[in-house]
Amino acid sequence: MKPSLIPLPKELRYTGGRSALRDDCPVTVTDAPELPEESYTLQIKNGAVQISASSEAGLFYANATFMQIKATCGGVCDDLVVRDEPALRYRGFLIDSCRHFYGAEELKRLLDAAAQFKLNRFHWHLTDDQGWRIEIKRYPMLTEVGGYRSNSRFGGVDEQTPHAGFFTQAQIREIVDYCAERSIEVIPEIDMPGHFTAAIAAYPFLGCTGERIEPTQKEGIFPNVLCVGNDEAISFVKNVLDEVCDLFPGKHIHIGGDEAPRAHWKSCEKCTEKMKRLGIADYDALQGGFMKEIASFLREKGKTAITWNESLKGGVLSPADVTVQRWMDRKNICRAFAQAGGEWIESDFYHYYFDYPYGMTPLKKTFAYDPFKACGDRPPVGVEGALWTEFVRSFDDLCEKLFPRLLVIAEKGWSGSDSRRYPDFYAAVCALLRTVPLKTLPPGRWDPRVSARLKEVKKFFRGSLSSETLRQALDSRK
Ligand SMILES: [Zn+2]
């Protein structure tokens, strides 16, 4: 039998002969220092398995491939040689713990599944308007006040129940260790200067108005941004990041930078005064300067900041400052950044945002998208699928939205943009999804017909989208 594998290995050769794969079949592991970090070779011959790798990651991936072979070959496997290495070093997935909170045990189940497919970056969205989910010892109100909201009304659905929860530093260390055992780097996101309502609810001086507010109960973009004209507010952010850097040993810290309305800055004395004093021309540059200051603060601590593409708008951030995550870039600012040598991660809204229904983003549409071409001829350093949780009210729903679409991220990130035709990928997904011990979406719903898509998308967006956005969402060219 020939195995089904996701991602498809770089090189897979059948050597004639067959092997029975008993549970006790001999496995030899050889250290091969000449192999790059994540690569490995795997040979199955005469009922024996030989693996070589130069790192824990390579060994982990060889084992992941072997597990897929065992799971899909029915006990007897055609003898083979696999020589494998990833196309991209960053193969990520985002989980939003703010809008709807799922705990450590649920996260571990997701991490197990993601690791099977050689995904290696867990982008953990920990702070937002609707909830602050990471314990910061110096500022306990962040989780005490900012981690609680009295109700949820996303999409007009009144849940009529409070929503609360956060990860203690001990739990975070446990998740980080759990990920390390699976060759996954955890990238925490502390979103700033926008999406800051929950933090301001905890410490009102962080906002421009000083008003007492509560964490938000609905989806959307909110005016409560960090007062970047206030030195104390900036020191606060740095103190938070000191603790964040201690908790997460990885190279990257995500500092957001998306969707920051300017209204409060415009009427703020401190922000206006700062712009005058420093000769800052506009609010895009005000944000850019702030992001640059935080990015260099992190660089001094040995970290690289990642920001969403909006923060490039002011023209302040250069490739030396940040890695950029592209999600929605109508003016194509990322292209210039990439052409200038900037590192970027591809997370296109219309293809890699998995919180939207399969009617809007079918598996086939996600698969057909070429992430390597999004910024012209300069390829990304990574790809990432995002799962925001405004409309995800159960863990089962979250899993169905991710699986199978997340397997496309695994395939494109590891095997490159043109690894195989969709029907072959589809068949492999059918064979391997059975091995994922989570609620996954049944095959009949991965690629709904156009009439069903329209119905599904309209139902999902009822009352919250213009017809123009709806058209764009359904346009598969996007
Ligand atoms: Zn201000």
Side-chain angles (χ1 to χ4, degrees):
M1 287 275 293
K2 292 185 167 53
S4 295
L5 300 171
I6 295 179
L8 190 70
K10 187 174 184 189
E11 190 189 323
L12 167 62
R13 198 160 44 84
Y14 294 99
T15 53
R18 283 191 168 177
S19 292
L21 296 177
R22 292 186 311 273
D23 280 342
D24 60 348
C25 67
V27 179
T28 317
V29 176
T30 313
D31 186 29
E34 73 280 6
L35 289 179
E37 164 80 15
E38 292 187 300
S39 67
Y40 67 91
T41 67
L42 171 92
Q43 182 172 37
I44 297 177
K45 196 177 176 184
N46 301 329
V49 182
Q50 282 194 324
I51 287 171
S52 351
S54 66
S55 67
E56 289 293 323
L59 205 55
F60 184 83
Y61 296 140
N63 191 53
T65 300
F66 185 47
M67 289 297 132
Q68 291 190 350
I69 291 172
K70 282 217 285 195
T72 58
C73 274
V76 179
C77 172
D78 288 10
D79 287 345
L80 53 78
V81 177
V82 171
R83 291 177 211 285
D84 208 4
E85 65 180 339
L88 299 177
R89 65 168 195 256
Y90 183 120
R91 307 174 299 279
F93 57 105
L94 177 155
I95 303 292
D96 165 15
S97 289
C98 303
R99 277 58 176 260
H100 284 97
F101 177 84
Y102 300 98
E105 291 315 306
E106 286 149 326
L107 278 184
K108 285 181 184 172
R109 293 177 64 200
L110 286 175
L111 291 161
D112 281 340
Q116 273 186 47
F117 298 99
K118 306 187 178 75
L119 292 163
N120 70 347
R121 298 284 188 273
F122 169 36
H123 176 174
W124 198 357
H125 188 75
L126 284 163
T127 70
D128 214 303
D129 297 305
Q130 297 85 354
W132 184 284
R133 306 289 180 216
I134 171 174
E135 179 190 23
I136 300 296
K137 301 265 191 208
R138 186 164 176 166
Y139 303 115
M141 303 298 268
L142 282 172
T143 41
E144 211 166 290
V145 172
Y148 173 92
R149 63 174 187 265
S150 52
N151 193 9
S152 303
R153 291 179 292 129
F154 296 104
V157 175
D158 188 342
E159 295 182 20
Q160 295 192 328
T161 177
H163 197 86
F166 66 89
F167 295 97
T168 64
Q169 294 203 348
Q171 285 174 319
I172 285 176
R173 289 207 166 86
E174 194 187 319
I175 292 284
V176 166
D177 289 346
Y178 197 81
C179 284
E181 287 161 15
R182 288 155 183 76
S183 288
I184 295 174
E185 177 187 335
V186 187
I187 301 172
E189 180 177 355
I190 309 297
D191 202 345
M192 60 187 83
H195 291 279
F196 222 63
T197 305
I200 296 172
Y203 296 96
F205 82 92
L206 295 171
C208 289
T209 67
E211 266 176 322
R212 193 154 274 285
I213 53 174
E214 287 184 14
T216 316
Q217 300 180 0
K218 297 193 286 190
E219 76 279 13
I221 299 171
F222 300 94
N224 315 303
V225 298
L226 179 77
C227 178
V228 294
N230 180 352
D231 290 342
E232 280 174 51
I234 290 181
S235 298
F236 179 101
V237 165
K238 289 179 179 172
N239 292 337
V240 167
L241 289 174
D242 275 338
E243 291 191 32
V244 170
C245 287
D246 284 346
L247 284 170
F248 296 92
K251 188 183 163 210
H252 303 92
I253 306 282
H254 205 302
I255 53 172
D258 58 319
E259 299 179 329
R262 312 309 196 197
H264 285 194
W265 289 347
K266 285 180 185 172
S267 52
C268 173
E269 263 177 42
K270 289 187 176 126
C271 288
T272 308
E273 203 275 321
K274 181 172 186 172
M275 288 176 77
K276 265 193 212 147
R277 180 163 40 92
L278 300 179
I280 295 170
D282 57 39
Y283 294 96
D284 289 340
L286 182 63
Q287 175 173 338
F290 164 71
M291 304 303 288
K292 192 178 171 94
E293 180 178 348
I294 298 300
S296 51
F297 173 77
L298 289 172
R299 193 174 329 104
E300 280 164 24
K301 299 167 83 71
K303 306 286 189 184
T304 299
I306 304 178
T307 67
W308 296 105
N309 59 243
E310 287 99 316
S311 46
L312 289 182
K313 267 193 218 158
V316 178
L317 294 175
S318 76
D321 296 316
V322 293
T323 293
V324 163
Q325 186 165 14
R326 200 197 79 93
W327 73 285
M328 173 94 75
D329 181 25
R330 294 208 172 90
K331 294 192 176 153
N332 237 332
I333 298 172
C334 291
R335 182 182 290 246
F337 180 82
Q339 296 304 324
E343 296 199 333
W344 60 287
I345 298 152
E346 176 61 8
S347 294
D348 187 75
F349 171 82
Y350 294 103
H351 299 91
Y352 291 173
Y353 268 40
F354 300 147
D355 43 322
Y356 291 95
Y358 281 74
M360 171 171 149
T361 311
L363 183 67
K364 191 177 185 177
K365 176 179 167 181
T366 294
F367 186 84
Y369 182 67
D370 185 353
F372 289 75
K373 297 282 163 55
C375 286
D377 55 5
R378 299 266 315 181
V381 295
V383 286
E384 183 175 302
L387 202 287
W388 304 98
T389 54
E390 285 95 331
F391 308 106
V392 176
R393 297 181 182 88
S394 74
F395 184 64
D396 279 351
D397 184 32
L398 185 145
C399 294
E400 282 193 339
K401 285 192 154 93
L402 279 177
F403 295 95
R405 286 183 293 199
L406 190 57
L407 306 199
V408 174
I409 300 295
E411 175 91 355
K412 301 285 169 175
W414 185 281
S415 320
S417 55
D418 47 6
S419 60
R420 54 183 144 180
R421 293 162 52 246
Y422 182 64
D424 298 331
F425 176 74
Y426 186 98
V429 175
C430 288
L432 283 165
L433 215 52
R434 286 195 291 266
T435 69
V436 175
L438 296 168
K439 184 110 161 57
T440 62
L441 197 74
R445 294 170 57 198
W446 299 347
D447 294 310
R449 287 208 300 257
V450 173
S451 56
R453 289 185 61 188
L454 194 64
K455 213 166 129 191
E456 207 179 305
V457 172
K458 274 189 169 162
K459 186 179 161 207
F460 183 82
F461 285 113
R462 194 170 31 215
S464 66
L465 261 197
S466 68
S467 55
E468 171 55 26
T469 318
L470 184 68
R471 236 191 331 274
Q472 286 204 10
L474 283 170
D475 183 348
S476 62
R477 289 168 302 173
K478 287 276 160 48

